[in-house]
Structure formats: C-alpha cells, structure tokens
Amino acid sequence: PSIDVVFTLRESLKPNKNYIFYCQSCGDIVVKDRKFLRVLPLPSENWSDLVEEWCCHPDPFARSTLDPQHGDCFLGDTFFLLNSGNESHVPESPKSKENTRVFCKRCKTMLGETVSSDTVKYYVTEVIIQLAEGSFSPAPRSQFVQSMVAQCLLELSSAKSTFRFTIKGDNGKTYILIWLLNSDTLLVESLGSSSSHSFFTPFGDILMPSSGPVGTWNAVKVLYQPCIKCRNKDLADAWENDMGVHPLKFPSETCLELLLILGLSTASLPPSLRFMNSFQV
C-alpha cells in the first residue's frame, strides 16, 4: 500500500473542507463529516513555563485554557484537539483518569482522552483523517505507527532543532529514549533479498513496505534505549531534566508497539550495525 495515505496534519488539514475521522485499527467512523473553520497549531506543551520569561507582571494566561470551539481543530505535537460536540463515544463527565480515556466503540482501541467537558484529544497514531468525499483507505498498523512517529520527529527536529526525544505513555511513564541521527536515509532491498520480508509483525503486516521488484523507501535513522522495567533509569532521569530533550506522548499501548517495531528493525540490520555505544540503532 502507498504510504501516501499517511499525511502531515499541518499541511493536509484545511479549513472549510469536510473530513471523516476513522479508527486506524478497525476503520470504524469516529467523527463524521466535520468541517473546520480554523486549523491552528498549538504551542509546545511546556509553553506556560516560559511565560514568566516574557512578562514583567503575573501570568495573564494562568486561568485561561486553549479549548477549541465547534469549528476549530488545534494541532499539537502528537495529537489534535476537537470540540467533542455530541459524539457518543466520549465520556460525558470524567470522574477519574481512567474515565477520561476515549475508546473506539467497535474494537475498544484507545483513541485519545477527554481534556475538559467539551474538548477531546485524539492521538495521531490512532486515527486516520480523510476527506469526506473519498473512501476509507486502511494502512497496515506497524507501517502507520512508524510513519506518524517519523513525521513527528522530523517536524520537531526541523522546527525546534531538537534531536533527542522521550516517548511517554498516557500514564506518565517513559518507555523509550530516541536520538534522531539522520532523516535522509534511503533503504534499498534488491531482488534477491527477502530478509526484511521475513519480519512479520504481531499486527499482521510486514515491517517495511515494498515498492515493486526493488524495494526502496525513505527512513529516519535513530538511536534508542528502552526504559521499560526500570531499564536505563539514570539516563532517563538525566534526559527528563534536560531542556534539549523534547517529550512526545502517545497511548501506552502504542509506546509498546513502537518499542517492538524498533526492536524488529534493529534485528533486520547486520549484527555489526545494530549498536552505537550503549544505544541500539
């Protein structure tokens, strides 16, 4: 399948066009026929910490939140905010953290979470957004997650000149440390090689897309360290307190999927290329 079905949200979400939001896992419609009057990027998540550097008087934004109105779509680093309106899958009055999670009605995949009484956050790794006049084009799960995370890394490294990222779950835990090495890698698979095709993922698709008799695809090269089960805790703590490291938040289940995808990608490399110092490639 063409990876073109995955688009950059900032470039492809346009005002005054009708969009349908689908669950990426099963294709069920999440938001039907929504037209946005405004599509606006949000400041980075720690923007309020910098306000005291800008203002010579008390924080004027302390009591205000950036909540979208019905015709708004606000874009974050790994999510977008919508006015929930009357969508039935959104909890009406969240009472605890668990109640704020928003699930697909059909397959029960977590799609996002409620932020306030009328605002819902959807993660870019969990939904596919397409124009209402088009038909739904499913994308293989592991390829979709790879593509969306790669786009997040590329956009942030380009906009903020930051190359180190912590991958965090919606439960607040750090799952992976990622260091972006280069973004212009081209992978080529020759006719006689089928090694990458032997890596079928638990999501039911092949790890890497193939494009004809000689497979070529763009890739980003990253170094990474797993942080599950308290691994690399000292390094994770150091990165947590480093202003040059940018946190990226995804559903916890997706963080585990991404860790598995990275592990399979490392295993597909020749043994001599799988490590750089203490990091995996």
Side-chain angles (χ1 to χ4, degrees), residues 117 156 185:
S117 58
L156 286 165
T185 301

Side-chain angles (χ1 to χ4, degrees), residues 208-252:
M208 298 174 183
S210 182
S211 53
V214 178
T216 60
W217 50 88
N218 295 314
V220 295
K221 184 182 286 188
V222 301
L223 307 181
Y224 69 96
Q225 291 270 27
C227 294
I228 55 173
K229 297 181 179 177
C230 296
R231 291 174 64 184
N232 300 303
K233 187 175 186 310
D234 291 344
L235 183 61
D237 290 343
W239 279 34
E240 187 77 31
N241 299 317
D242 191 327
M243 288 292 288
V245 177
H246 194 86
L248 294 176
K249 183 179 173 184
F250 297 101
S252 303

